[in-house]
Amino acid sequence: MRKIFIILMLLPCFSCTDWLNVESEKSVTYLNYFKSESDLEKVLISIFGYEKALYAPANPEAFGYVGLLCDDAGARKGYKELNVLDFYSNQYMEGWSRYYSLIYLVNMLEENRYRFENISEERTDYWIAQANFAKALAYFTLAQKWGEAPMAPSTESIDVVGKSSVEDILQEAIRCAEIALSLPTHENLTDANGEAVTSKQYASLGSVHTLLANIYAWMGGLYGETSYWEKAESHASQVIDGKVGFYKLEGDIKSVVNNTLGGNRKSDETIFTIEVNSQDDNKYSSAWFSAIYPGQSLIDYPYDHASPEALETNTDKPRILVNTVYNIFLEEKDQRRKEYWKELGEASYEGSTWEEDPETGDWVEVPVTIISEYAFLNKWQEPIVSSNPDIIGEEGRIPLLGMEGNRVIWRLADLILLRAECRARLGMATAVDDLDQIRIRAGLERYDESTNLEKLIWNCREQRMQNMAVCHCAML
């Protein structure tokens, strides 16, 4: 009965994309379900919903903020110390439920494979592989955030399950990911109707190798074993060298902004994304709008009608100082300073100050131009505003809800720098070649050995990773 309830309750309730319309079925049991590929794809779409929750929870989470290189996280206090009660203000608590709901659906599919009808073995393997990629992703994220965690039992089990070790959780993630290695490249993915898949939330051979590269690199860092770094380098090379699908770096940083981070969902640089489109959210009210959209925590000036002055006085918003950005992007020629930020170090507003009149000795108010000490992100192209005509902000302004675009989890630039780290750890001279690809695209000179190589690679990776969990800054 529990399986039936899952199908009844989860499949009809999730309407996440315009590549599939999931309709409610009034009477669903295993006697009349799993009769076509469409039935399997409906389960996968529900799994996609939980994937979205892993990377874009409805409410900000402490784990995201703890990696945010900002100077003030606004209303979210306690993030640096991971003080859970302080961070969540006793309102929103981070939990495991979405991870295990995803894993439950994958286990349910595998356990009921014998019930599938009118589906070839090849296509059955395809949907099972898709589901196992998501399961591997869930276990990997659990290990990253929580360390020890329970290993989900069968869907029929009612036994109490204790925590498994981090290594066991990661090995299970690897096992599931290796099942997904049977998937084709992204160019050859098809949906239940036999049509080409364009969404990069569907797993492909390239995204599976990318996941395995990340898992093994994580294990290399945890356990310091050379074999893990070697495996991470090998899986990353499969993708970077074009052996498991076509991926290509954007030519310059402006193209990254225009094509990869904006509303264009077909960039050759992206490997795995969380799909976002018009059916994900009702654009009627900000209260109904999901944090899955890019920049949800940081949308402000210049995207809406706020000003640098308004942000400086808004203590509820995360803020970052110009000097902090300079310390992230250390070199003045770095094009990311120009393209990712609005008038970095130059954004200003009109204010006033009091000065003594030299003739009368009176203090008079005089206008001055104030250069803001804060930096303002400027890397998205398409603001999304409310469609509700009854919601009008100050001075007749329509409220800004979010920024158009998918939530990019991995792109080729990430993987090139991950391989650079692997190669540096392995003492391979080619680590410099990978680093230079990213430096040259950013308008910088090649590595000149004046800085520790591993430290420089890590700084480049941190530029990308520092805000992804909360605000999708994509620093590369």
Side-chain angles (χ1 to χ4, degrees):
M1 288 299 293
R2 292 174 63 203
K3 294 179 182 178
I4 297 174
F5 289 153
I6 285 291
I7 294 296
L8 282 169
M9 296 178 66
L10 292 180
L11 298 188
C13 294
F14 187 71
S15 101
C16 75
T17 73
D18 51 17
W19 5 274
L20 183 66
N21 182 24
V22 181
E23 297 181 355
S24 176
E25 299 193 24
K26 293 181 180 178
S27 178
V28 181
T29 71
Y30 287 116
L31 297 179
N32 59 14
Y33 204 72
F34 295 138
K35 301 294 185 181
S36 68
E37 279 197 49
S38 177
D39 292 337
L40 301 185
E41 191 164 35
K42 288 177 183 179
V43 178
L44 184 68
I45 297 302
S46 290
I47 290 171
F48 283 172
Y50 288 117
E51 276 186 354
K52 293 186 179 193
L54 297 185
Y55 284 101
N59 300 295
E61 57 170 12
F63 291 112
Y65 273 92
V66 81
L68 187 66
L69 291 182
C70 64
D71 296 286
D72 182 356
R76 295 291 174 174
K77 306 301 181 183
Y79 73 102
K80 288 186 177 180
E81 300 81 19
L82 274 182
N83 183 330
V84 176
L85 293 179
D86 192 15
F87 181 85
Y88 290 107
S89 300
N90 298 309
Q91 185 176 7
Y92 301 116
M93 297 299 290
E94 171 74 356
W96 293 346
S97 62
R98 59 183 182 268
Y99 298 91
Y100 290 102
S101 294
L102 183 159
I103 293 167
Y104 184 97
L105 283 179
V106 179
N107 290 347
M108 180 272 293
L109 271 183
E110 292 188 300
E111 291 168 16
N112 288 278
R113 176 174 178 147
Y114 70 97
R115 299 180 187 271
F116 299 172
E117 297 181 19
N118 305 313
I119 307 170
S120 69
E121 284 297 308
E122 180 184 7
R123 293 300 290 178
T124 294
D125 289 341
Y126 173 87
W127 295 109
I128 294 294
Q130 286 284 344
N132 269 280
F133 172 85
K135 184 176 176 181
L137 197 66
Y139 274 126
F140 179 43
T141 310
L142 270 172
Q144 286 181 303
K145 290 184 176 181
W146 297 95
E148 295 180 348
M151 198 86 73
S154 71
T155 58
E156 296 290 349
S157 174
I158 59 173
D159 296 335
V160 175
V161 179
K163 292 181 180 179
S164 295
S165 68
V166 174
E167 186 169 9
D168 285 346
I169 294 294
L170 290 171
Q171 289 295 345
E172 178 66 5
I174 290 170
R175 185 191 70 80
C176 295
E178 288 178 342
I179 293 173
L181 284 172
S182 63
L183 287 167
T185 62
H186 177 73
E187 300 80 34
N188 295 309
L189 294 178
T190 55
D191 63 16
N193 297 318
E195 297 178 358
V197 168
T198 58
S199 167
K200 287 187 177 178
Q201 190 169 350
Y202 279 80
S204 68
L205 189 56
S207 58
V208 177
H209 278 286
T210 302
L211 172 57
L212 283 165
N214 277 273
I215 295 173
Y216 278 120
W218 188 270
M219 295 177 76
L222 279 179
Y223 306 116
E225 293 186 18
T226 299
S227 61
Y228 291 139
W229 291 111
E230 289 174 342
K231 290 177 180 178
E233 193 277 339
S234 176
H235 283 290
S237 293
Q238 291 288 310
V239 181
I240 296 167
D241 297 343
K243 297 178 181 179
V244 291
F246 177 76
Y247 304 99
K248 180 182 178 182
L249 285 177
E250 297 286 355
D252 53 39
I253 298 302
K254 183 178 286 292
S255 297
V256 173
V257 172
N258 293 338
N259 298 333
T260 305
L261 304 182
N264 184 349
R265 293 172 168 80
K266 298 180 181 179
S267 169
D268 290 330
E269 183 163 333
T270 58
I271 298 173
F272 177 64
T273 68
I274 299 299
E275 185 77 16
V276 182
N277 55 53
S278 60
Q279 284 190 323
D280 278 305
D281 289 281
N282 187 322
K283 296 184 176 64
Y284 202 68
S285 165
S286 60
W288 299 340
F289 204 75
S290 172
I292 189 175
Y293 281 80
Q296 193 75 353
S297 294
L298 294 180
I299 53 173
D300 214 304
Y301 173 81
Y303 304 113
D304 67 2
H305 301 281
S307 67
E309 179 182 17
L311 186 58
E312 286 194 2
T313 58
N314 185 354
T315 58
D316 289 337
K317 296 286 291 186
R319 298 180 293 179
I320 185 169
L321 293 168
V322 170
N323 285 337
T324 302
V325 175
Y326 286 158
N327 288 330
I328 296 172
F329 302 102
L330 294 170
E331 300 173 65
E332 188 174 351
K333 293 190 297 184
D334 197 324
Q335 288 297 301
R336 293 167 293 189
R337 284 189 179 189
K338 175 184 177 182
E339 300 298 339
Y340 289 177
W341 305 89
K342 175 69 171 178
E343 300 171 346
L344 184 64
E346 300 175 0
S348 64
Y349 58 93
E350 297 305 313
S352 63
T353 188
W354 290 89
E355 294 183 359
E356 185 177 7
D357 188 313
E359 296 182 1
T360 65
D362 295 332
W363 287 91
V364 294
E365 189 176 9
V366 295
V368 293
T369 298
I370 300 174
I371 304 297
S372 177
E373 63 179 340
Y374 289 101
F376 309 100
L377 275 171
N378 187 31
K379 65 198 316 175
W380 296 291
Q381 302 298 307
E382 301 176 47
I384 302 171
V385 297
S386 173
S387 61
N388 183 355
D390 296 327
I391 298 180
I392 302 297
E394 296 180 2
E395 300 180 14
R397 297 164 180 162
I398 301 175
L400 175 68
L401 299 182
M403 304 304 296
E404 186 65 50
N406 284 340
R407 195 175 182 93
V408 179
I409 306 303
W410 294 316
R411 50 192 176 94
L412 188 59
D414 304 326
L415 198 59
I416 290 172
L417 286 177
L418 179 66
R419 187 174 73 171
E421 181 180 356
C422 294
R423 289 180 166 182
R425 300 265 189 170
L426 294 169
M428 300 171 66
T430 47
V432 174
D433 299 331
D434 286 338
L435 175 61
D436 282 343
Q437 282 194 69
I438 306 305
R439 288 183 57 81
I440 290 170
R441 185 176 72 169
L444 302 174
E445 303 295 332
R446 294 178 180 274
Y447 173 68
D448 61 5
E449 299 185 2
S450 62
T451 306
N452 178 275
L453 179 60
E454 288 189 27
K455 181 178 179 180
L456 187 57
I457 290 171
W458 174 249
N459 183 63
C460 287
R461 291 193 66 205
E462 190 173 48
Q463 290 165 359
R464 157 63 174 141
M465 295 186 296
Q466 68 111 345
N467 282 344
M468 187 184 75
V470 171
C471 61
H472 183 70
C473 278
M475 290 294 189
L476 283 180

